[in-house]
Amino acid sequence: MKKKLSFKQRLHNAIGSQTVEEYKARHAYLHGVGYSREEWDYMWLKSKNTTWAHQFGRMVGYDEVYLNSVGHMDNMCCHAYGETIRHFPQYMGHDIRSSGSSGLHVLASDVIEVAEDGKSARASYLTPGTLTGPVGFDNVHRSGVWLWERYGSEFAYVDGKWQWFHEQVCPDLAGDYDTGNWAHNRYLDFIENDCTVGELGGRPAQLTEPGLFHRDYTIVQTVQDTVPAPDPYTTLKDVPDDKSYSPGRWDPTDHVLVEVKEKAVANFDAQMADNPFGKIREGDE
Amino acid sequence: MKKEFTDEEKVLRLWDVEEVRKVLNRHSYYFSNEQREEELDALWVKEPENQKTAAFGVNTGYYVGMEEIRKFYVDYRRKQRMEVLEKYHEAKGTPLDDEHLGLGCAAMHTATTPLVYIAEDGKTAQFQGYQAGFQSMGKPDGTADSFMELGLIHCDLIREKDGWKIWHLELERDHTFPVGENYAAKEADPSWPDPLSADFGEPTDKRTVYDPFFGWEYMFQDMPRPYETMTDERSYGPEGNLGKPYYIRDPR
Amino acid sequence: MGRTFDAEELLGRWEDQREIKNLMGRMSQDYTLKKEGGMFSKYWSSRDDVCLGINTGWFTGPEHVKEYYAGQAERIRLESSVIAKAFPKNFEGKTEEELYGVGMMTYRPVDTPVIELAEDGKTAKGLWCIRGSYSILTPGGPQGIWEWGWFAVDFIREDEKWRIWHMQYLREIDRPCGNQWTGPWHTYEERPEFAAMKDYQEVQPNQPCTLRETYSAERPFAPSPRVPEPYGTFADTFSYGI
């Protein structure tokens, strides 16, 4: 590919590729501390075609992504902090969102391709991450959770700046450091008819496209290539739907939009026991 | 004001980012392989002025100057490793020599999720990474004390004649999980007992550089970002802000 | 050593490095997709002197390296068929192809790369850490394993693409999750539906040797594979091959 492009085009694409790595890392750390506003204001494209998908479905449009990822997230952080200081007054005077955070969606196995036209970039990663913290959700014990996922990410070059356009997160595995055996435990859950799928995505407040977009590991799960690693490509429009991380939403300028049916809205309840979207029970019956 | 770079400068800065990452990745391998003396010679600052201000930080403080760093990172570690070997010596008569040092021991330290910025003036760089690793110390009965470890890496690098060099390195340990035990069964404890706290030694500049109980509270303030030139305030060395609360960083 | 490059050459070398990272990223992600069976043709050089080293020895030459991957694919096929038979109601109407890889998961993520491109641009070397976990089907059912190790790779440019020439895939920790890393391997009570796994045997290297012992409390200290250093031509540096 590099032979076809001018030096300047190749340089633009190389900088784009490195910017993808920068944004992915910035997101990982800011997300780890619940500093959502600081990433969504800075890196994300304010487009109706901006999307963020997880196990539970896809948020569509910057406004919906912001509602869930900033408003909803801050709400949860504040609620958790309010509970934590009842148990640990040492946290008084410390940051509401970030104090006590130390878990990260670790970045590994990166594959990054920038379009020949220099207007978009696509990336996929494995993220063998941690959801660890000095104080767990019960405010009594520590948290020692690990969560391993795959990422498919798309970026657009708009107004002279690389901006985050689409994200799709695919959780596969989770467990506790270092107890139990994830593969055997999931098997036992299955044969005891106590295996749930779709519980690794958190609890969004609103979704335009709800649905189980990626199933976490079970003994009966077939191979899922939900976010295929990007191949070299010419322009985002040419990426086939089955390879895209947001099918049909290739236009960052909002001239071409995908028709949206009625939005699925769940009343947010921080204490909600179950995910309103996506959870299913699966078992040997 | 944001500086405009020529195309040639842009290419060089692309490579600067790669080289900075590579320095920290090389550090991870030297660190894991117990090639600490070699690391200090190969990756750390050489110029006398930089050697004086070099710093190695742990949760409990800084070792300042290459002489102090060497005493801690090389000599103190050798002592720790020798203590493990002494147990084999007492039980099995294993010789207490360099050939047997490290018997039953293993470690891997990674440097994932790198975030790097090169100063506009090109003289310094800042790195943040995440270390997910392990250490295991064997015992003569065939068992071992094995731990998985997680923590942040902060590093200032400075450009010397032969390339990017580690100037201030801060390894912040968050969690130390005993292998085969349920970490979440341990109570949350503000005093944060770390089973491997001996790794911190006795820093020459003792202070709380990182308190795992409050975690990444100042991530947004501390993480690398585009910058013009290195300042004391930005530095990850002892003159910087790591570990300081907001009202000390920005007094009213 | 110490050749200087102009901006265009440097950019080309940057692109080469990105391609090498992409190759390793793709290969790593392919493990999660159970694509071991296609790895040789997708990633390896067509040279006769390719080789793959694992803890227990070397697979040398294309036929033996292919045998290694065929063995991995065979294990996946066997596990899939055993699982399909154990849970027939869940798989009605599914073809063998659709069932390939069912019920097993591998995460073999790579990070901490040190990559060096030869000054002549014909070869490259890289070292990566693996911090992963994978499941195997044992006679007692699925078991999740912690895997810590390395990929140490020599690459060669072939038809304008980077390909794997020599590779060491070495495990340092390879032990069941949730258990100690020393002592007997934890096993589960055998179940008849998984008994077929009892007789399964891994394909062995054609040049067996102890390339690396996995960790134990009795093992002398063993550093990682050697870290790549800058080099001019491949003749100037060490090889990850045999």
Side-chain angles (χ1 to χ4, degrees), chain A residues 8 18 21-22 25-26 29 33 38 90-91 94-95 98 100-104 106-107 130 134 140-142 177-178, chain B residues 7 14 18 21 112-114 117 128-130 175 180-181 183-188 190 213-217 220 224:
Chain A
K8 273 194 179 297
Q18 220 173 54
E21 293 180 272
E22 176 201 337
R26 280 191 81 84
Y29 291 114
V33 295
E38 286 74 2
Q90 293 89 342
Y91 277 105
H94 291 266
D95 193 282
S98 58
S101 300
S102 49
L104 186 78
V106 172
L107 296 175
T130 61
V140 176
H141 299 95
R142 303 176 189 186
Y177 284 114
D178 178 35
Chain B
D7 285 350
L14 276 177
E18 302 294 340
R21 288 177 185 155
T112 77
T113 323
Y117 290 99
Q128 179 175 294
Y130 186 67
H175 301 280
E181 290 181 25
Y183 190 69
K186 292 179 191 298
E187 288 199 354
F213 191 70
F214 298 108
W216 302 351
E217 181 177 7
F220 182 68

Side-chain angles (χ1 to χ4, degrees), chain B residues 31-50:
Chain B
F31 188 25
S32 309
N33 292 342
E34 299 289 355
Q35 296 165 319
R36 296 180 176 218
E37 189 136 30
E38 292 89 334
E39 176 189 331
L40 295 184
D41 293 338
L43 303 184
W44 285 66
V45 287
K46 287 198 176 67
E47 291 172 12
E49 274 310 301
N50 297 337

Side-chain angles (χ1 to χ4, degrees), chain C residues 139-153:
Chain C
Q143 187 168 40
I145 313 290
W146 286 131
E147 179 184 20
W148 296 76
W150 304 271
F151 284 118
V153 190

Side-chain angles (χ1 to χ4, degrees), chain C residues 145-215:
Chain C
I145 313 290
W146 286 131
E147 179 184 20
W148 296 76
W150 304 271
F151 284 118
V153 190
D154 291 329
F155 300 91
I156 190 156
R157 196 196 294 270
E158 216 169 78
D159 300 329
E160 293 306 306
K161 284 196 168 145
W162 288 101
R163 311 286 285 187
I164 296 172
W165 182 12
H166 314 124
M167 182 162 86
Q168 294 181 24
Y169 160 37
L170 299 175
R171 290 169 172 171
E172 172 70 339
I173 302 292
D174 189 33
R175 299 286 298 194
C177 301
N179 287 275
Q180 296 299 319
W181 288 353
T182 54
W185 185 284
H186 181 81
T187 55
Y188 301 106
E189 195 179 327
E190 276 186 34
R191 292 173 183 262
E193 61 267 40
F194 303 130
M197 296 312 298
K198 218 165 22 179
D199 302 325
Y200 176 78
Q201 290 195 331
E202 294 278 350
V203 174
Q204 293 305 308
N206 62 301
Q207 291 194 31
C209 66
T210 304
L211 192 52
R212 183 180 189 88
E213 266 183 68
T214 53
Y215 172 70

